[in-house]
Structures are given as C-alpha cells and as structure tokens.
C-alpha cells in the first residue's frame, strides 16, 4: 500500500470520526429537546385517553439512554383527588424511538411511589376511570334490563390490569392505600420487581384491621394475559383473608396459594371464558355456622374453566378439583332470572323483604368424583370436619355424586340428589370412635341444648331400666316409625323427599326451621355427635349413617332399640322405661295405642309435652289431630286394625308423676267431651306432610308456645 493510499484512508477515517462526533454532539445537544417533546406527547396521550391531569417533573439523561424524572403525579379531573405520585422515576429510553418521535420506555424504576384510591359516601371515586369504557369507544349495545354482564365487567378489569403492567419494573418503597366508607386498606411494598416477566416482591397489607406479611413470586406475560403467581405468608405466619372476616364473620387463611391464568377469550356475545388453576396449602376455614372448630384442607386445588356473561357465571366441563387424594369434577351454573311482576314488592314465595335479593337466582350444580380407594377417601376428608371418623381405614372403592337444581322463583321445584356408591367396601379399622359400639353395652351421656351434661347411664342389660326391643309395646314402635320415619325398616338411612321438603322450608324461612332427619340420623346424632347445628355436623352425621346402613353394621331392630332407650321424652326423662313410668306408671310393654301416640307426638319437642293439653288435661285440637292422623296411617299399613282406629278415644289417662304437671285444675261440674266430626280429619299422606321431621331434629311440630313444665325431681 502506497503512502498516498494510506493518506486517503486516514483522511476518510478522520472524516468518519468527525461525522460521528458531530452526530453524537448533535444528539447530545438535541436529545434533551427531543426528550422534553417526547414527554409532552406522553402527557398528551395519557390525558387524551383518561380524564386526568398528568404532571411530569424535570427530566434528564443520566447516561446514554437512561432518563430520570424528578416527580410524577396523576390527578383525575372528575374528582380532584391525587391518585398517584412518585418522587423519582427512572427508565431506559430507546434512542431510535426517540428520533422516530415514538418514545419507547422500558426497565421502569420508581422510588417512593404513592397510590391513593378513595371512594366517597356519594359513590364518587378517583380510580374507576381506569377500567370504564370511554365515550368515544364503540361498544356493542348492552341490555342492562337483564342484569349485570359479569363477562364484560371482568374482561374490562383484566385488560386494564394487564395493559398497565410494564415488562420491566422495579418499585422501591411503594405505598398503596384505599379508603371507602366501609373499608380501609394499606399496602406497603419495600420492593416489587418485574424482570423479563419474573415477579418478586414482599408487602405488608393491613386491610380492615387484618394485617398480613406476604411474599410474591411468579411470572407474567401481559401481552397474552397469562400469569402464574405464588403468594405466601412470611415469618412462617399464615395469610388471613380480611374481607370475609369483616363481612361474614368467617376466618379463612392459608400458608400459600398459587394462582395461574392460562387462557382468556372474550366472545362477540359478551361472554368471557377464563381458564386457569388455583391451589392452596394448609387452607383453613372457621365459621360458627360451619363448625365449632377449624376445618383444615392440607392440600387442595382446582383447574377451572370459568365462563361469565349476562347475569350469569358458570364452572364448565373440564373443571377439576383435587382434595388431597380425591378428584372431583364439578359443573356449576348460577344465573339471575327476571322476577315475576306478580311478586315484585311483595314477599317472594315466603321470603321476607330483606331476603328478596335472592329472588331470581337459579343454581344448578353437578358433582362427580373419580372412583377412589376407600383409604384415600378417608385420608382426603378435611381435618376437623369428620373428627369421629379420623383414622378410619377401609377396603374397596367409593364414588361420590351430587345433583342440585334450585330456582328461587319456584322454590317448590327444588331437586336434590347426593350419595356415595361403594364397591367391595368394608371397614377394616374404626377411627376415633368405634361405630360398632351400637351392638355393645356402652355409656351414654345426655346433654342439654347448651352442651351441659344432664346425666350419664349405661345402654345395655347392666342398666335395670334398659328395655330390650321385644319388651316395648308394638303400638309405640309403630307409632314412632309412622310419625318419625315411615320407611325406616327399608331405607338406607336417608329419605331424599323428606330432605328436599325440609330444605325448601328452610330456604323460605332462611333458618333451620325443619330438619328432615330419619331415625338413623337421629340415632347417630345422639350417640356419636354433639347437638350443635352446624353444616359440618350434618355432613359428619350423613357419612356415619351411610357407613352404618350400607355395611349393615347394626340391624334395624337394634338401631331402634338403642334409639328408644336414649332419646329424651321430657325434662330429664331419657329412655322408654323412664317415659312409661313418668307418664303412665307402666312398663313399656303395657303401653296402649293412645299412650303410644302421645309418646310419639312429644319426641320433636319433649320439654313441651304439656302443649297438647289444656289445664284440665283435655287434649287440644292439635293433639287430637295428631292422634287421628298417625292412627289412620298405622291402620293403612296394617300396624293396627281398622276397629282400633275407629274406636280411638280423644283422651290420655296420665297415672304417673307427669299428671301433676299436665292436669293443673279441676272442674266443678262434669263436662262431656264430644269428639269432633271425623270429617275434619281429612286423610293425609304423612310422608308428604312430614318428610322425617318438622321440628329442629324430628317429628311433628304442633307449634304450641306454652312454656315447659317444671322438670320432675329425681331421676
């Protein structure tokens, strides 16, 4: 290479360097101007999209492509209440995008940010503009007369959330507060970072006076609406859900919960379908109506297919619930239907006005479980929910199914079916309680409604007052079965029609107005469980009954024998021997038809045994009606003859200590009691009338309100 050539190359390189330096100098001179222009465009874009005033502090480059802003604030124009402030914001700025006039920021870092959301008593707030549709955006017409479109609302919330999440971010000392007339929340985040979609952070949340220290780890892809996050308590403390505690009086907590969203589809019919999963470790629920102790789910999760639309949401086919070792496949549909005009502003099918918000709801639920090994089934039961059965082992398999169809506009159309199907099922070891004690002599403790001990006695031959099955009057056995459980000798522990009728009445009255218990269920409740009326107790009761009845653990005769010897027949009166002695000074084998009908009538409310009689010991109309009705049904079934039914009197002759509490006055003149015309006793099917029981636990409720008699002394 000649010297002339080298000289030309040197000159060329020199010119190139000069040009580059000139360009760099020009960029350095102009980039601040371009940055200010870009930030003006950002401000204009934000204020065009949202009704806000965005204020940006002085901005400068700290290196070649890093921009630092000294202060940011966002104030809604609809409610002049600052929503967001930040002391300092740093971000990477693409040089190319800056010169192109479309600035692209990334790697967002915010220090000392404050997000302050408020709602006034008048319903105004400073945040809902973020997810509401704008006036200039075309939207499909929505028929609001059909109720809230949950799909449209949820889609707006999801899109607003994901659209405002940056790909890269680092928040330092971030404070979020929320204040409304009903709720207070304060979230302090020392750091929350998003790097390549990976999320890490910690926060201390104080919501409605419930404080949690929580860690967050996960991954998010905002463009595809996907997220996978794990939320867990710090310092080995559980996370307690605040809202359910303040709103419903329930404590719900978990050690960790993992939530993922894998698919979102918003259709043209304004229906949103969301697919994802949720799983929790050491999930605990506590509510006095659920249980008197914690109900714990060590492991559980759900793979869900959720669809939301016009006044409806549903868990669709493909949803799978894992409860420890048991798989369940639920399908749930909840829809709000129009309320008929004839009931608007009036009581709806027996509901009080304050409960009319339930009117119009239609709920359909179907649940099927996979065929599960019996041991896995018992191991999967939530802790604290089936305490009597804890430790139970068995052979074979079980499969659970449930179907419910409820229309609050037509409560009488309620459909319900639930049960376990067993294959080669056999108990190999009893758990905490030996269910086989029904076939043995055992001590029984009677409790009052407050849970206090009344008395303890042996149920078996060692007790001189124990009465074997064959030494109880057939009249009494048949009267009780007719009134309490007409199919006791043939069913497997449950009467579905009775349960449905009880459920309808309970829903109408919004309380446990009617039980629906069979004799089997009453026996299990008395022998193995407490008297507390909780959902957990009813579930435990049902499972124990299923085991006893389906394994033929005890004969029907033995079950009825134990039942007769332990149930309450009056204040501190337990067992048929004490009852026959207290009321009639007789042995149980000698009770006649009228006496047996009386004893059957007081089982639902034994402390109110006087209610069927006036002060002279004359039977009231309700008592006569019960006698005639039960006797009529007994005659139909062949338990008594037709002549016994026709010759049934209208009085009961009390010869025992109870007489002094029932007959409290005498007449000066003899009064002839004329039986009412038999036409008033219209034939009635007791199965349809009662369905098991109308009082809290069993039997016919005469609805008398007379106070109970003074408890007898002794015994």
């Amino acid at each position: 290479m000649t010297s002339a050539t080298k000289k030309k190359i040197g000159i060329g390189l020199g010119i190139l360097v000069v040009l580059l330096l000139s360009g760099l100098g020009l960029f350095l001179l102009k980039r601040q101007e371009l940055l200010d222009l870009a930030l003006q465009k950002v401000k204009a874009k934000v204020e065009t999209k949202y009704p806000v005033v965005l204020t940006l502090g002085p901005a400068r480059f700290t290196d070649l492509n890093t921009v630092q802003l000294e202060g940011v604030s966002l104030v809604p124009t609809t409610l002049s209440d600052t929503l967001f402030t930040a002391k300092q914001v740093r971000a990477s700025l693409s040089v190319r995008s800056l010169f192109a006039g479309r600035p692209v920021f990334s790697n967002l870092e915010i220090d000392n940010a404050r997000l302050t959301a408020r709602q006034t008593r008048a319903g105004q707030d400073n945040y809902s503009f973020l997810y509401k549709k704008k006036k200039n955006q075309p939207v499909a017409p929505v028929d609001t007369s059909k109720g809230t479109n949950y799909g449209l609302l949820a889609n707006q919330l999801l899109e607003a959330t994901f659209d405002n999440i940056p790909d890269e971010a680092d928040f330092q000392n971030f404070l979020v507060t929320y204040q409304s007339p009903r709720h207070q929340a304060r979230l302090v985040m020392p750091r929350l970072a998003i790097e390549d979609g990976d999320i890490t952070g910690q926060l201390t949340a104080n919501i409605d006076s419930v404080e949690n220290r929580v860690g967050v780890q996960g991954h998010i892809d905002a463009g595809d609406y996907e997220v996978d996050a794990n939320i867990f308590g710090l310092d080995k403390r559980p996370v307690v859900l605040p809202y359910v505690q303040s709103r419903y009086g329930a404590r719900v907590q978990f050690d960790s919960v993992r939530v993922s969203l894998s698919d979102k589809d918003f259709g043209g019919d304004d229906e949103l379908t969301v697919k994802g999963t949720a799983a929790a470790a050491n999930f605990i629920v506590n509510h006095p109506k659920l249980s008197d102790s914690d109900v714990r789910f060590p492991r559980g999760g759900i793979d869900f297919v959720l669809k939301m639309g016009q006044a409806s949401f549903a868990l669709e086919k493909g949803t799978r619930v894992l409860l420890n070792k048991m798989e369940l496949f639920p399908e749930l549909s909840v829809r709000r239907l129009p309320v008929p005009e004839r009931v608007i502003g009036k009581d709806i099918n027996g509901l009080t006005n304050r409960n009319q918000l339930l009117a119009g709801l239609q709920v359909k639920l179907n649940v099927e479980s996979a065929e599960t090994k019996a041991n896995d089934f018992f191991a999967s039961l939530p802790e604290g929910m089936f305490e009597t059965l804890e430790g139970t082992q068995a052979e074979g398999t079980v499969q659970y199914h449930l179907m419910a169809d409820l229309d609050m506009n037509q409560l009488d159309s309620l459909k319900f079916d639930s049960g376990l199907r067993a294959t080669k099922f056999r108990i190999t070891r009893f758990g905490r309680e030996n269910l086989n004690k029904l076939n043995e002599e055992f001590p029984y403790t009677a409790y009052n409604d407050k849970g206090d001990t009344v008395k303890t006695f042996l149920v078996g031959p060692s007790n001189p007052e124990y009465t074997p099955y064959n030494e109880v009057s057939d009249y009494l056995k048949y009267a009780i079965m007719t009134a309490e459980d007409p199919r006791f000798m043939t069913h497997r522990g449950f009467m579905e029609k009775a349960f449905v009728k009880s459920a309808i009445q309970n829903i109408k009255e919004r309380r446990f107005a009617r039980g629906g218990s069979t004799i089997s269920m009453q026996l299990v409740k008395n022998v193995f469980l407490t008297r507390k009326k909780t959902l957990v107790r009813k579930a435990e009761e049902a499972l124990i009954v299923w085991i006893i009845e389906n394994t033929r653990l005890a004969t029907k005769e033995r079950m009825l024998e134990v039942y007769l010897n332990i149930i309450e027949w009056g204040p501190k009166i337990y067992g048929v021997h004490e009852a026959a002695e207290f009321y009639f000074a007789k042995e149980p084998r000698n009770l006649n038809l009228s006496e047996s009908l009386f004893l059957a009538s007081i089982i639902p409310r034994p402390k109110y045994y006087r209610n069927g009689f006036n002060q002279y010991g004359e039977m009231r109309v309700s008592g006569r009606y019960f006698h005639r009705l039960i006797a009529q049904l007994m005659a139909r079934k062949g338990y008594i003859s037709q002549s016994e039914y026709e010759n049934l009197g209208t009085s009961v002759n009390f010869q025992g200590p109870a007489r002094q509490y029932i007959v409290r006055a005498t007449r000066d003149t003899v009064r002839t009691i004329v039986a009412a015309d038999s036409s008033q006793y219209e034939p009635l099917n007791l199965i349809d009338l009662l369905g098991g029981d109308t009082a809290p636990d069993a039997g016919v409720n005469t609805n008398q309100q007379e106070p109970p008699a003074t408890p007898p002394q002794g015994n």
Side-chain angles (χ1 to χ4, degrees), residues 692-708:
D693 65 272
T694 54
D697 286 307
V700 179
N701 182 358
T702 60
N703 294 319
Q704 299 291 329
Q705 300 299 321
E706 184 177 338

Side-chain angles (χ1 to χ4, degrees), residues 176-417:
V176 178
T177 60
Y178 173 77
Q179 183 176 5
S180 76
R182 297 178 60 185
H183 301 288
Q184 304 283 333
R186 179 183 175 87
L187 281 69
V188 179
M189 290 183 283
R191 187 182 182 195
L192 178 65
I194 304 175
E195 183 176 358
D196 293 330
D198 293 331
I199 307 172
T200 58
Q202 296 182 2
L203 65 90
T204 299
N206 193 312
I207 303 175
D208 293 336
S209 300
V210 176
E211 183 172 286
N212 291 296
R213 293 197 67 242
V214 178
V216 180
Q217 289 182 336
H219 184 84
I220 187 167
D221 186 341
D224 290 333
Y225 299 101
E226 295 180 358
V227 65
D228 186 354
N230 186 33
I231 303 170
F232 51 92
L234 298 173
D235 305 326
K236 297 182 179 180
R237 295 175 57 188
V239 178
V240 180
L241 298 186
Y243 178 74
V244 292
Q245 185 165 334
S246 60
R247 178 68 176 84
Y248 301 105
R251 175 167 53 83
V252 180
Q253 66 183 58
F254 56 84
D255 287 351
S256 66
V257 62
R258 183 168 184 171
V259 180
S260 71
L261 180 64
S262 58
D263 185 50
K264 180 185 83 72
D265 179 39
F266 186 64
D269 52 359
D270 286 341
E271 284 190 335
L272 174 68
T273 301
V274 177
K275 296 181 181 179
T277 64
N282 200 26
F283 187 85
I284 294 176
V285 181
N286 186 298
H287 191 280
K289 290 186 178 180
L290 176 67
S291 173
D292 55 357
S293 60
D294 289 348
V295 177
R296 177 174 175 265
F297 302 81
R299 295 175 302 279
I302 180 173
D303 300 327
F304 59 85
V305 180
L306 176 63
K307 176 176 283 189
M308 291 174 281
Q310 193 82 49
S312 68
F313 71 88
L315 284 175
E316 298 204 312
K317 188 174 182 180
T319 298
R320 168 182 168 268
V321 173
L322 181 63
L323 182 60
N324 295 332
K325 298 180 179 180
M326 191 173 182
E327 286 185 309
L328 300 164
F329 302 94
E331 293 181 43
L332 170 67
S333 172
V334 179
R335 188 178 299 272
R336 183 174 291 279
L337 303 175
V339 180
E341 291 186 5
R342 59 185 175 81
V343 297
I344 293 177
K346 302 178 181 179
D347 281 0
I348 300 174
N349 286 339
L351 289 175
T352 58
N353 288 328
R354 63 187 177 89
N355 292 314
Q356 288 190 13
L357 58 91
L358 296 175
L361 281 183
Q362 183 187 69
V363 181
K364 294 183 179 181
L365 174 63
N366 284 282
V367 179
E368 288 285 342
S369 79
E371 191 170 21
T372 307
K373 292 181 180 179
N375 272 344
D376 288 344
F377 169 76
F378 284 108
S380 298
L381 297 176
E383 296 177 10
M385 189 169 180
F386 298 89
E387 294 180 347
T388 302
L389 299 172
E390 286 182 3
T392 299
Q393 294 186 1
E395 296 176 349
T397 62
V398 295
Q399 191 171 13
Y400 177 72
H401 74 276
L402 181 148
M403 183 281 296
D405 189 341
L406 170 65
D407 185 343
M408 292 299 293
N409 286 339
Q410 303 178 58
L411 278 178
D412 292 333
S413 67
L414 172 67
K415 297 178 182 178
F416 182 86
D417 177 50

Side-chain angles (χ1 to χ4, degrees), residues 557-572:
E557 289 77 9
R558 173 61 180 173
M559 293 172 69
L560 185 57
E561 178 180 295
V562 174
Y563 176 83
L564 291 169
N565 278 275
I566 65 173
I567 62 172
E568 186 178 12
W569 299 81
K572 299 184 180 180

Side-chain angles (χ1 to χ4, degrees), residues 594 612-613 617-621 623-625 627-628 646-653 672-677 680-681:
S594 183
F613 304 87
E618 300 165 345
M619 193 180 297
R620 300 182 190 274
V621 172
R624 296 199 301 270
Y625 181 75
H627 274 49
R628 298 290 296 184
E646 293 174 352
N647 294 325
L648 179 65
T650 58
S651 63
V652 180
N653 185 19
T672 302
I673 303 176
V674 180
D677 186 347
Q680 70 173 297
Y681 305 114

